[in-house]
Amino acid sequence: MNDFTYKDNALYCENVPVKAIADKFPTPFYLYSYATFMDHFRKIKKAFEAVDPLICFSMKSNSNLSIARALVREGAGLDIVSGGELFKALKVGCPADRIVYASVGKTEAEIESAIRSNILFFNVESVPELIMIDTVSRRLKEKPRVALRVNPDVSADTHEYITTGKKENKFGIDFTTAEDIFDNENKYSNVSLEGIHVHIGSQITDTEPFVKAISKVIEFLEKSAVSVKWLNIGGGFGITYGQEKAKTAEEFASRIIPLVKGKGFRLILEPGRFIIGNAGILVAKVLYIKTTSGGKRFAIVNAGMNDLIRPSLYDAYHEITPVVKLRSETHMYDIVGPICESGDFLGKNRELPELVEDEYLAVMSTGAYGFAMASNYNSRPRPAELLVKNGRVRVIRRAETYKDLISCEKMLKELK
Ligand code: PLP
């Protein structure tokens, strides 16, 4: 479900025409629907209510303060992967006992600040990291909670760059090493070993990979007679980008709940994309229509791979649609950005109503890993983020300026 719908050929975000927003705010911009992401969060909560999980929104998918704060106020925790995300999580008022921290490369300073903040637990990804957490804890005279992130060697049937649970991936600890850690718990006496974490990848549209991974974890716990307080099954619930058929929260829940219910631990989920993916669009303006003698049509727009890298990086498909559908004749277009790379495209070979200069296009389902992965490549200021809630449009991140582009730089006077 999402609240981006057409009424009389005009795209609306909830009850606000997107064209009216684009006429008011400079393009490109990201536009989010509050009702949509709240609905997705509540759908997961309801689907899993039989096991009352802690749902930690994955900040890496979208770390805008307003969005994280809205979800935290609704009862969400946060899944973080860096000191920066910890800073933002605390800033939005997330109770520390609802913050979980994954990442293969936590630095000593990041570990120290997470311990001082008393987060719920670290998802530990290697033995050296566990030793580092134990060492820092001893120095601080603290005893933080940790969960071992295991690598179940399960294929997630998704893009190889977002598959994380195969043995050749850098993430997690194999079962043999995990068993060894549990058997030698006393070696790590400055941490409290309380959970297991497993995250096999992102944009997983089938239930089977989850069933396989969770079953392997449960089998491991039973075989090695290990009991834990927490089982964190990560994120990864896939969404529809237009072509694939994704599962509903109930469908995921109906396969997962029987595996975990009554096992004595509390379940944690870390969804990102499922909550915010379809709740955001990127609105851009057509700058030029370029045709080649070979008969190719390019719609060159004012958003590029620096604003949305998913098509270039993962060959990801995003539906692209006119904000107002005016014409019935259609053509095939490549929708491309202004960046100096042939890989700078938002969509290729798209049949669209004839496009004209200055009209607005919406790149759909860009709420997750959209702005979060944006950069200043080609010295382009990053776009604004806007939020529609109850018919009001609010700026939740202003567009960057040229001044922002140089705010961290120094022009050395002695370099002539
Ligand atoms: N948890 C962990 C450890 C992750 O690495 C990710 C993303 O890759 C997520 C949660 C969120 O994944 P998704 O946005 O697919 O739900």
Side-chain angles (χ1 to χ4, degrees):
M1 165 274 178
N2 70 64
D3 268 302
F4 294 95
T5 49
Y6 277 97
K7 289 179 207 157
D8 297 329
N9 290 327
L11 183 66
Y12 278 67
C13 175
E14 302 184 9
N15 54 356
V16 185
V18 175
K19 164 99 170 44
I21 305 173
D23 284 341
K24 187 162 171 210
F25 295 92
T27 56
F29 57 76
Y30 279 93
L31 178 66
Y32 305 106
S33 154
Y34 176 92
T36 305
F37 71 75
M38 250 333 146
D39 176 63
H40 293 166
F41 175 74
R42 289 176 185 148
K43 278 195 169 124
I44 298 181
K45 197 167 169 186
K46 175 132 195 14
F48 282 89
E49 72 184 344
V51 288
D52 185 29
L54 174 62
I55 304 171
C56 294
F57 173 62
S58 192
M59 279 188 102
K60 70 174 74 65
S61 65
N62 188 317
S63 67
N64 183 282
L65 297 178
S66 291
I67 290 169
R69 181 174 156 98
L71 289 165
V72 165
R73 288 190 154 197
E74 190 66 19
L78 294 171
D79 155 47
I80 62 164
V81 286
S82 68
E85 286 190 356
L86 174 62
F87 172 74
K88 292 181 98 172
L90 296 172
K91 201 84 190 154
V92 303
C94 185
D97 63 5
R98 284 196 244 147
I99 298 175
V100 291
Y101 186 178
S103 158
V104 292
K106 304 172 188 84
T107 65
E108 186 171 352
E110 286 175 320
I111 289 168
E112 176 164 342
S113 62
I115 294 174
R116 287 189 190 282
S117 305
N118 199 15
I119 62 167
L120 180 56
F121 55 75
F122 290 94
N123 293 310
V124 175
E125 309 239 11
S126 65
V127 173
E129 181 196 330
L130 184 57
I131 294 169
M132 174 63 92
I133 297 174
D134 190 70
T135 308
V136 178
S137 309
R138 186 173 348 109
R139 173 163 59 77
L140 297 179
K141 299 192 176 53
E142 297 284 353
K143 193 165 183 170
R145 292 158 295 277
V146 301
L148 297 187
R149 176 175 180 172
V150 291
N151 182 325
D153 194 23
V154 164
S155 168
D157 280 338
T158 186
H159 191 283
E160 63 167 318
Y161 289 2
I162 48 177
T163 295
T164 57
K166 292 281 293 162
K167 65 174 185 292
E168 58 270 29
N169 301 135
K170 66 179 173 180
F171 301 96
I173 297 169
D174 62 81
F175 284 120
T176 313
T177 309
E179 185 162 11
D180 189 57
I181 295 170
F182 277 109
D183 285 348
N184 295 287
E185 230 181 303
N186 54 352
K187 267 175 57 187
Y188 313 102
S189 59
N190 301 288
V191 301
S192 176
L193 191 46
E194 297 190 357
I196 289 276
H197 176 227
V198 62
H199 169 82
I200 53 173
S202 194
Q203 184 53 12
I204 303 166
T205 49
D206 192 10
T207 51
E208 261 340 278
F210 290 101
V211 171
K212 271 193 202 146
I214 296 166
S215 304
K216 276 188 151 183
V217 170
I218 304 283
E219 198 182 302
F220 163 76
L221 290 173
E222 287 171 356
K223 204 176 93 226
S224 43
V226 164
S227 69
V228 286
K229 283 191 192 161
W230 309 94
L231 174 64
N232 180 348
I233 60 166
F237 295 166
I239 62 169
T240 303
Y241 281 98
Q243 296 172 322
E244 62 285 82
K245 231 180 119 37
K247 294 276 187 275
T248 62
E250 291 83 48
E251 285 170 317
F252 284 117
S254 70
R255 297 300 312 278
I256 294 171
I257 291 174
L259 303 173
V260 298
K261 198 167 178 200
K263 293 274 197 283
F265 46 68
R266 176 136 191 238
L267 189 71
I268 297 190
L269 306 171
E270 299 176 335
R273 192 188 307 266
F274 191 93
I275 291 175
I276 196 69
N278 283 327
I281 63 174
L282 173 64
V283 178
K285 187 159 79 174
V286 176
L287 297 174
Y288 302 107
I289 301 295
K290 176 173 170 177
T291 51
T292 66
S293 56
K296 194 141 182 97
R297 277 172 211 263
F298 293 99
I300 302 168
V301 300
N302 64 352
M305 65 191 283
N306 74 296
D307 304 297
L308 176 69
I309 201 173
R310 298 189 70 256
S312 312
L313 186 63
Y314 308 129
D315 212 10
Y317 176 91
H318 285 273
E319 189 188 339
I320 300 177
T321 183
V323 165
V324 181
K325 287 181 184 164
L326 288 175
R327 289 159 290 276
S328 52
E329 193 184 348
T330 64
H331 298 291
M332 293 297 276
Y333 291 94
D334 281 5
I335 316 297
V336 301
I339 303 265
C340 305
E341 302 261 354
S342 295
D344 176 32
F345 63 92
L346 300 176
K348 283 188 173 166
N349 297 321
R350 300 299 176 87
E351 184 170 359
L352 290 171
E354 182 167 41
L355 299 176
V356 296
E357 289 171 8
D358 287 338
E359 83 169 278
Y360 302 120
L361 294 179
V363 188
M364 307 303 289
S365 307
T366 48
Y369 308 102
F371 186 88
M373 294 177 92
S375 76
N376 293 123
Y377 187 40
N378 276 207
S379 290
R380 288 169 50 82
R382 285 180 295 173
E385 294 180 284
L386 312 177
L387 176 69
V388 170
K389 183 181 180 226
N390 295 335
R392 274 187 78 190
V393 185
R394 312 284 290 273
V395 177
I396 56 172
R397 193 182 203 279
R398 66 164 173 81
E400 290 178 353
T401 62
Y402 289 156
K403 237 181 165 171
D404 293 323
L405 285 181
I406 57 168
S407 63
C408 301
E409 292 184 35
K410 269 204 163 146
M411 191 154 49
L412 297 178
K413 292 274 181 330
E414 67 269 27
L415 299 178
K416 288 201 179 147

